[in-house]
């Protein structure tokens, strides 16, 4: 796998955020991920009048991952519509872990970090009987 183009991933995340449906929070969120076959998948948050039903950007991203060929997440960047770095919420860290595992890198304020540091002592598919 070639070098990860983090600037491209961040730019694609900001672009994805522009498609957000966020009339309730007002926070546009975009996520972009490099997949193990080299393609980039993206997602945006999609809120709902029934507030708790809103979808995070990472959730719609994994939907796109599955819909466009599956595979594994190698590197993930999340950004607001104005370009601020955002960390995936706790639930979304678990969602990323399902499709990226321990080695998947996540963009953080401290630079790209593996999921082993972003979701400590994770529960995952390997823990199921
Ligand atoms: N949000 C995401 O899309 N991803 C996260 O990891 C954190 C939060 C969205 C959910 C909601 O639409 C808005 O940000 C404010 O919480």
């Amino acid at each position: 796998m070639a070098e990860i183009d983090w600037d491209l991933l961040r730019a694609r995340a900001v672009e994805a955020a522009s498609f957000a449906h966020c009339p309730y929070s007002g926070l546009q969120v975009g996520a972009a991920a490099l997949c193990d076959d080299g393609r980039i998948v993206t997602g945006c948050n999609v809120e709902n009048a029934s507030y708790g039903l809103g979808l995070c950007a990472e959730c719609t991203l994994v939907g796109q991952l599955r819909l466009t060929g599956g595979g594994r997440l190698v590197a993930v960047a999340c950004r607001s519509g104005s370009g601020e770095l955002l960390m995936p919420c706790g639930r979304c860290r678990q969602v990323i872990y399902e499709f990226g595992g321990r080695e998947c890198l996540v963009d953080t304020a401290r630079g790209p970090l593996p999921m082993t540091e972003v979701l400590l002592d994770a529960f995952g598919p390997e823990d199921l009987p």
Side-chain angles (χ1 to χ4, degrees), residues 24 55-56 67 78 111:
Y24 310 109
L55 305 174
C56 285
L67 286 163
C78 302

Side-chain angles (χ1 to χ4, degrees), residues 12-24:
R12 293 291 306 273
V14 176
E15 182 185 66
S18 71
F19 294 98
H21 173 68
C22 55
Y24 310 109

